[in-house]
Amino acid sequence: MTDKKILLAVCLVLFFFGGWWLPITDPTECCYTLTAKEMLAAGDYFSPRIYGDFWYDKPIFFYWELILAYKIFGVNEFASRFFPAVFATLGIFLTYSFAEKLYNKKIAFTAAIILATSVEYWYIAHAVITDMTLFCAVSTTLMTFYFGYVEKKPKLYLISYAAAGIAVLTKGPIGFLLPGLIILIFLAVQKDLKYLPKLLRGVPITILVAAVWYLPMYFLHGRIFLDNFLGVHNFLRATQSEHPEVDVWFYYLIVFVVGLAAWVLPIIAEFLKERRLPKFDTRQKFLLIWAAAVFVVFQSFATKYVTYTFPYMMPLAILFAGFFVKREKLFRNMAAGMIIFLTVSTLVAIPIVKENSGKAAAEIISPLVDEKTCVVSYRRVYSGSLVFYSGAKIFRLEDTATISKLKPDRMSWTTLNVMPFLDFKNLPRDKKIVAIVDKEREEKFFELAGKNWRLVENFDEYKIVVRD
């Protein structure tokens, strides 16, 4: 088999296998899938919406991917995970192509295998989130810039500008600012900042690509779109931690070691043994600047997520390939071991994923719901995946004081709470009520909602009860 056929086979096994068995999870995947499902139902392919309201969390490109997959395959798990797997495969072949032009086929194949069998890459290839699309767009931007610069082929910059536009349509301004910063630092290291004005001439192409969505959204929704999308989901995310418990200096060091798992450990061991850094040529400088800039930028952000530093995976894989290409037996053994490990991990992940999904609960409540039924959730975490699977309108049940704290407010993380709320005192008396209740909250639930409930299903962490 040729290298590319082997890579394709690896991608099919590692990225596509099992996608139809992995339910949509809370709290992140469900936001994308439910939004795409509601957009498809409304026939509105420009304005993201969730729980019946407009939703300004992310730009449009990933929703377009989901909508297209739903049109082709139906609204299901395989369709939801199809394009992340497709872009994961594309990312492997982009890595191969870039490394082959930088070095040779041997390093290209080694780098592609290292990337494909990295834990973080495998995880994001299955996750219904924007990051794999962003990875491909940012990587394309930087690859085409590099070869346009070193080979003096300015036509390649046209691809860079267009890819940056796709990145902005996928994740927001960071899709342009991040590769722009990497390019700026590289030119400074090369002592060639005089080249920058020539590069800036093509920025209008990026703006035109991004304007396909941003301009209509501004005209349709005005200030509220800018306040929510740019204010909360970009500025606030960078300056105020959404999850303060993980805002620690070593967070991304852990992500780095775990994400690259087996591949990084022999390199660390060798470095500790030799205690010296090699000399770097222009190619290695570019790869190092790319990886380091991504790490430093997101390290400086207040909000930290496992996936934020993901764009550094391609340059790291290529740099690592230079180490493993000289150790063929070690490389073959590790590659085979990681392929087996990750394939088994897909099967192991299925019951774990089910625990973080509302699919099982949806199968219970769906037959109980009709137009005269009110469905409420009194859980610590509201389950969007339960809404996705059941198709029911599910109210977040809380007391008056809690609702006042959680209701969306400008420039606050409460803007994420766009689900419908219902106060205990407003529970309808003329309808059947289906309630999903966390066990740790059930005492307060029965205190506020009364005792006349019958148990329908008892899960490990929550119960489903009904009041007829």
Side-chain angles (χ1 to χ4, degrees):
M1 291 179 71
T2 64
D3 287 352
K4 291 183 178 179
K5 287 181 179 179
I6 292 172
L7 289 176
L8 181 59
V10 169
C11 291
L12 290 173
V13 170
L14 292 185
F15 308 150
F16 288 89
F17 172 69
W20 51 88
W21 289 328
L22 296 167
I24 302 304
T25 62
D26 295 307
T28 303
E29 289 187 335
C30 61
C31 292
Y32 294 110
T33 57
L34 184 56
T35 298
K37 182 181 178 183
E38 291 194 23
M39 290 177 70
L40 183 60
D44 181 352
Y45 303 142
F46 263 87
S47 300
R49 60 184 69 205
I50 193 169
Y51 311 122
D53 292 320
F54 293 120
W55 171 242
Y56 309 109
D57 180 40
K58 291 292 185 295
I60 197 63
F61 199 82
F62 187 62
Y63 297 127
W64 282 343
E65 292 175 27
L66 286 171
I67 290 168
L68 178 59
Y70 290 163
K71 280 180 169 289
I72 297 171
F73 302 111
V75 181
N76 54 55
E77 291 91 350
F78 176 77
S80 299
R81 302 189 188 281
F82 178 73
F83 275 107
V86 167
F87 276 90
T89 303
L90 174 61
I92 296 305
F93 282 91
L94 286 173
T95 302
Y96 183 91
S97 175
F98 188 40
E100 183 184 17
K101 284 200 74 174
L102 280 176
Y103 295 101
N104 53 56
K105 288 185 177 181
K106 195 168 186 179
I107 284 185
F109 180 74
T110 304
I113 289 292
I114 289 172
L115 185 61
T117 57
S118 296
V119 171
E120 186 175 1
Y121 200 88
W122 165 83
Y123 160 65
I124 296 177
H126 292 85
V128 190
I129 53 178
T130 59
D131 295 85
M132 193 59 80
T133 303
L134 180 70
F135 174 89
C136 290
V138 168
S139 298
T140 301
T141 302
L142 292 168
M143 290 164 51
T144 50
F145 156 75
Y146 181 81
F147 287 121
Y149 174 77
V150 298
E151 296 179 1
K152 302 190 184 317
K153 295 180 179 178
K155 288 184 179 180
L156 286 173
Y157 296 147
L158 298 177
I159 301 174
S160 291
Y161 301 131
I166 297 296
V168 174
L169 284 174
T170 301
K171 199 84 169 184
I174 195 69
F176 171 78
L177 296 175
L178 182 62
L181 176 64
I182 293 166
I183 290 168
L184 178 64
I185 296 171
F186 175 72
L187 291 176
V189 170
Q190 292 293 106
K191 298 179 181 179
D192 201 9
L193 284 174
K194 64 181 183 295
Y195 197 75
L196 191 59
K198 187 182 293 186
L199 282 176
L200 292 175
R201 293 174 194 167
V203 171
I205 296 174
T206 300
I207 295 172
L208 284 173
V209 172
V212 167
W213 179 73
Y214 284 87
L215 203 57
M217 282 295 287
Y218 176 72
F219 285 126
L220 286 168
H221 303 284
R223 181 65 182 271
I224 191 172
F225 165 65
L226 295 180
D227 285 349
N228 276 267
F229 179 75
L230 293 177
V232 174
H233 296 290
N234 285 272
F235 178 76
L236 190 66
R237 202 174 292 275
T239 58
Q240 181 178 314
S241 181
E242 185 179 356
H243 305 287
E245 65 277 7
V246 300
D247 187 14
V248 293
W249 67 268
F250 53 84
Y251 181 81
Y252 286 123
L253 292 176
I254 295 173
V255 171
F256 168 72
V257 174
V258 174
L260 286 155
W263 296 111
V264 73
L265 298 179
I267 295 174
I268 293 174
E270 183 70 16
F271 173 75
L272 292 174
K273 180 181 176 182
E274 297 291 330
R275 294 189 178 182
R276 61 183 178 85
L277 291 172
K279 292 183 178 180
F280 302 121
D281 60 21
T282 301
R283 298 168 298 183
Q284 292 163 328
K285 286 178 184 176
F286 182 68
L287 294 171
L288 284 167
I289 290 167
W290 178 345
V294 171
F295 186 92
V296 172
V297 165
F298 290 110
Q299 178 65 32
S300 68
F301 275 28
T303 297
K304 291 179 171 56
Y305 280 115
V306 169
T307 59
Y308 275 5
T309 52
F310 185 54
Y312 68 18
M313 294 287 282
M314 180 188 287
L316 288 178
I318 296 172
L319 288 167
F320 288 4
F323 174 88
F324 283 100
V325 80
K326 301 170 186 175
R327 299 162 175 82
E328 290 189 23
K329 185 176 180 181
L330 175 63
F331 169 72
R332 286 197 302 270
N333 290 340
M334 289 181 62
M338 288 303 296
I339 290 170
I340 294 169
F341 170 73
L342 293 174
T343 304
V344 172
S345 295
T346 301
L347 299 174
V348 172
I350 294 169
I352 298 172
V353 169
K354 286 181 178 178
E355 290 295 315
N356 293 293
S357 174
K359 184 176 183 179
E363 292 171 350
I364 301 299
I365 72 167
S366 293
L368 303 173
V369 176
D370 56 31
E371 64 278 2
K372 295 181 180 180
T373 303
C374 176
V375 185
V376 298
S377 173
Y378 189 57
R379 302 195 63 193
R380 187 177 56 83
V381 177
Y382 182 88
S383 176
S385 65
L386 177 56
V387 181
F388 173 78
Y389 281 112
S390 68
K393 181 175 184 178
I394 301 177
F395 292 92
R396 180 170 179 172
L397 185 64
E398 299 287 352
D399 57 61
T400 305
T402 303
I403 289 175
S404 66
K405 294 177 183 177
L406 294 176
K407 276 289 190 179
D409 191 18
R410 281 186 78 244
M411 287 303 291
S412 164
W413 289 120
T414 59
T415 55
L416 300 176
N417 298 328
V418 293
M419 69 287 291
F421 281 85
L422 184 66
D423 199 316
F424 272 97
K425 65 184 181 184
N426 295 325
L427 276 172
R429 301 183 180 278
D430 58 344
K431 289 184 177 181
K432 179 173 72 175
I433 302 175
V434 177
I436 304 97
V437 183
D438 271 346
K439 290 183 178 180
E440 64 183 33
R441 306 183 88 190
E442 64 177 310
E443 184 176 340
K444 186 174 181 181
F445 172 81
F446 291 121
E447 176 188 332
L448 295 173
K451 306 290 185 182
N452 299 321
W453 298 82
R454 60 182 174 87
L455 179 66
V456 174
E457 190 67 39
N458 191 6
F459 291 94
D460 288 341
E461 296 183 358
Y462 60 92
K463 294 179 177 179
I464 298 177
V465 295
V466 172
R467 190 178 77 187
D468 294 308

